[in-house]
Amino acid sequence: MSADPRSRLQRRRDTEHRLIHDVDLWVASASPEGAPYLVPLSFYWDGEALLVATPPETPTARNMAATRAVRLGLGETRDVSIIDAEVEAIDNDELPRERGDRFAAHTGFDPRTLSPPYRWFRVTPRRIQAWRQVDELPERDLMRDGRWLA
Amino acid sequence: MSADPRSRLQRRRDTEHRLIHDVDLWVASASPEGAPYLVPLSFYWDGEALLVATPPETPTARNMAATRAVRLGLGETRDVSIIDAEVEAIDNDELPRERGDRFAAHTGFDPRTLSPPYRWFRVTPRRIQAWRQVDELPERDLMRDGRWLA
């Protein structure tokens, strides 16, 4: 069913294509006590980090504020890109207007217009992996410690 | 883009259809210290619980053994079923042969034949939600405390 395993460089290109063009991804977070959480969120990728927004009282927002860690899933279950990332909360008045505009244009919704207010988070990849089937498990690491390997 | 919001009963039917026919889902788990983890796994649904298998040294297996909790994502990011579930580890010699056979027939792989050995986990839903777009966020709860609401 699958072609030859992709090179690291090809997987990086495929992952960056998704980061640029996809609108939603899966966001896994955890409470400090070890309760898992998972929800799909919209995002905007600026080439270095993802911007996401969610109401501050949601489990995802509370977990991100507390642990500053998420693990993201893009794509399909048999063609995945997985990202371990650091999270930084951004105050609403600290988000440059142009970045909010880009998020709104990309995702089709503008959290700045919503009430109750949303909270912004900047999500910076530290480790990225991508694989389709078992034959792609070797060489699945594309980024370690925030640096692309290919 | 979307039709009218689905009834709870329709969402339950759609979710059960996925549980019966889908092969893979997203498994979010957490370490006891609050580190999130996320990975796609294959599963088999017996009408009451999901059966999954993964090597015992993986983060998912270690997290499930430690916290006995997962949150599962089925479907697409704009047509999701989300399941909070309890986890029970099953010793290999405790899994009835017929159940292992059904898992292998459904998923196309037989963890009993693999080396190093996999570990089995029985994953029982306690809460299930399903929604497509924002208009389906009301009434998204389909199961609470292990009981279907419709």
Side-chain angles (χ1 to χ4, degrees):
Chain A
M1 170 170 167
S2 58
D4 287 343
R6 294 169 294 167
S7 67
R8 271 208 175 110
L9 184 58
Q10 186 60 49
R11 299 188 208 195
R12 174 178 172 175
R13 286 181 182 140
D14 293 345
T15 297
E16 289 185 305
H17 187 273
R18 269 202 193 118
L19 285 166
I20 293 167
H21 295 285
D22 284 9
V23 175
D24 310 307
L25 45 56
W26 292 94
V27 178
S29 62
S31 76
E33 297 78 28
Y37 204 72
L38 177 67
V39 76
L41 288 183
S42 296
F43 72 97
Y44 168 71
W45 168 251
D46 69 7
E48 294 187 349
L50 301 90
L51 189 63
V52 300
T54 187
E57 70 277 12
T58 58
T60 300
R62 283 188 277 112
N63 291 345
M64 289 195 295
T67 72
R68 302 174 56 113
V70 289
R71 186 162 155 107
L72 310 172
L74 286 105
E76 311 297 323
T77 52
R78 299 210 174 186
D79 183 8
V80 303
S81 296
I82 299 265
I83 300 174
D84 288 295
E86 291 175 350
V87 178
E88 180 188 1
I90 305 173
D91 287 338
N92 274 2
D93 54 7
E94 284 179 5
L95 186 82
R97 180 174 174 175
E98 184 203 11
R99 297 186 63 77
D101 292 348
R102 288 189 184 171
F103 180 95
H106 181 68
T107 66
F109 92 101
D110 188 342
R112 298 168 299 186
T113 67
L114 301 176
S115 182
Y118 275 44
R119 188 158 193 201
W120 294 99
F121 295 90
R122 180 174 164 88
V123 178
T124 304
R126 297 296 300 164
R127 185 186 190 198
I128 300 180
Q129 302 179 311
W131 71 90
R132 286 179 178 156
Q133 307 271 345
V134 171
D135 66 344
E136 283 201 0
L137 289 180
E139 305 237 314
R140 65 183 180 275
D141 280 359
L142 307 184
M143 175 187 283
R144 287 191 204 123
D145 300 325
R147 296 180 59 181
W148 290 103
L149 303 181
Chain B
M1 170 169 165
S2 58
D4 287 342
R6 293 169 295 167
S7 67
R8 271 207 176 112
L9 184 57
Q10 187 59 49
R11 298 188 210 195
R12 174 179 172 175
R13 287 181 180 141
D14 293 345
T15 296
E16 289 185 306
H17 187 272
R18 267 200 193 120
L19 285 166
I20 294 167
H21 296 286
D22 284 10
V23 174
D24 310 307
L25 45 55
W26 292 94
V27 178
S29 62
S31 76
E33 298 77 28
Y37 204 72
L38 177 66
V39 77
L41 288 184
S42 296
F43 73 97
Y44 168 71
W45 168 250
D46 68 8
E48 292 187 351
L50 301 90
L51 189 63
V52 300
T54 188
E57 70 277 14
T58 59
T60 300
R62 284 188 276 112
N63 291 345
M64 289 195 295
T67 72
R68 301 173 57 110
V70 289
R71 187 163 155 106
L72 311 171
L74 285 106
E76 311 297 321
T77 52
R78 300 212 174 185
D79 183 6
V80 303
S81 295
I82 300 264
I83 300 174
D84 289 295
E86 291 175 351
V87 178
E88 180 189 2
I90 305 174
D91 287 338
N92 274 3
D93 54 7
E94 285 180 3
L95 187 81
R97 180 173 173 174
E98 184 203 10
R99 298 185 62 77
D101 291 347
R102 287 189 185 171
F103 180 95
H106 181 68
T107 65
F109 91 102
D110 189 341
R112 297 169 300 186
T113 66
L114 301 176
S115 180
Y118 275 44
R119 188 158 193 201
W120 294 99
F121 295 91
R122 180 174 165 88
V123 178
T124 304
R126 299 295 300 165
R127 186 186 190 198
I128 301 179
Q129 302 178 311
W131 71 90
R132 287 179 177 157
Q133 308 270 346
V134 171
D135 66 345
E136 282 202 359
L137 289 181
E139 305 236 315
R140 65 183 180 274
D141 280 359
L142 307 185
M143 176 187 282
R144 287 190 204 123
D145 300 324
R147 296 180 59 180
W148 290 103
L149 303 181

